[in-house]
Amino acid sequence: MSDQYKKLAAERAADDVTSGMRLGIGTGSTAEFFVHALARRVQDGLDVIGVPTSERTRKLASSLGIRLTTLDELPELDLTVDGADELDPHLSLIKGGGGALLREKIVASASANMIVIADGSKEVATLGRFPLPIEVVPFGLEATRRAILKVFGDLGLPLNMALRGGSAQPFVTDGGHFILDAQLESIPEVQTLGDRLVAIPGVVEHGLFIELATKAYVAGTDGVKTVLPI
């Protein structure tokens, strides 16, 4: 049923898109449902232009006839629609399970509004159950890893982190970086952790999306509900 719920949330978000909009288009399984829903509306005459957040999304959207551009050509967007790995009542998010967190955050930050689409399993009272992705530069990886663990220790968080893909064949992002996934269980001080992580020179970006989402459509057994930040 999870895919059905994702599809319902994505279709509800697609209904919010109006002609003339400049759209950020997210990455991941839920975002792909949005791309298909948006493509159907484009085929019916909707006039929009999109900025994809990953090569994967770019290929899918292009194949379905959605007109695309880049943030260099269109640096200000009206709306980004994207999924999330977790969302809390403040609409703070954990994103990056698909490995596109840097581009996703750049696009979301360039948008006037961001709609999150998700199934009900992604709602949590406190972020942290889903591993937090941290995108890092390959150079000096061990020094960066130790600096991150020191931050976790200072904040009383578990010292449990792994290189995505493993050292033999690490996952490489579209930007050519690695991802460290941190099993933190619960993140009571989201803003503090985010600020401490981005201050580490080897950290490119982290998967905490704070004060970016303006609305969420969350689908479950009772249909699609609208969630606004408290």
Side-chain angles (χ1 to χ4, degrees):
M1 290 296 292
S2 176
D3 279 353
Q4 181 60 28
Y5 296 150
K6 291 177 182 179
K7 185 171 183 287
L8 286 172
E11 290 175 346
R12 178 65 184 84
D15 289 341
D16 281 9
V17 179
T18 58
S19 278
M21 272 191 168
R22 302 160 297 176
L23 292 175
I25 305 174
T27 295
S29 58
T30 311
E32 287 183 5
F33 283 114
F34 172 75
V35 174
H36 284 280
L38 180 65
R40 289 192 292 271
R41 293 204 58 204
V42 167
Q43 291 165 7
D44 291 338
L46 182 73
D47 180 24
V48 295
I49 187 165
V51 173
T53 56
S54 67
E55 291 305 305
R56 174 178 165 183
T57 295
R58 182 189 63 77
K59 290 175 183 176
L60 176 62
S62 180
S63 73
L64 294 173
I66 298 171
R67 188 162 56 104
L68 300 176
T69 186
T70 67
L71 277 183
D72 291 325
E73 297 294 326
L74 202 65
E76 295 182 358
L77 305 177
D78 300 302
L79 174 67
T80 285
V81 178
D82 204 350
D85 298 303
E86 282 188 343
L87 63 152
D88 72 10
H90 304 285
L91 288 192
S92 294
L93 317 171
I94 286 182
K95 288 180 53 55
L101 64 106
L102 175 59
R103 293 191 184 186
E104 288 172 338
K105 190 173 283 189
I106 291 171
V107 170
S109 297
S111 303
N113 292 285
M114 179 186 184
I115 295 176
V116 175
I117 48 178
D119 65 84
S121 70
K122 305 299 174 65
E123 281 191 293
V124 296
T126 304
L127 298 180
R129 181 181 62 192
F130 189 91
L132 175 65
I134 304 168
E135 189 162 343
V136 298
V137 177
F139 176 82
L141 177 62
E142 179 58 19
T144 300
R145 189 187 73 85
R146 293 187 183 201
I148 294 170
L149 291 175
K150 183 180 185 306
V151 168
F152 293 165
D154 289 347
L155 297 178
L157 297 169
L159 307 182
N160 188 359
M161 187 168 62
L163 178 65
R164 187 176 299 185
S167 57
Q169 195 170 8
F171 174 88
V172 180
T173 69
D174 286 341
H177 306 128
F178 293 166
I179 289 181
L180 295 168
D181 289 307
Q183 298 275 359
L184 300 179
E185 300 172 11
S186 178
I187 307 172
E189 300 177 69
V190 172
Q191 186 69 62
T192 300
L193 176 58
D195 291 344
R196 291 286 302 274
L197 288 175
V198 294
I200 297 170
V203 171
V204 179
E205 194 49 85
H206 56 74
L208 294 171
F209 282 51
I210 305 165
E211 295 183 352
L212 287 173
T214 50
K215 179 167 62 175
Y217 290 127
V218 180
T221 54
D222 296 328
V224 180
K225 67 177 180 179
T226 302
V227 180
L228 300 175
I230 62 173

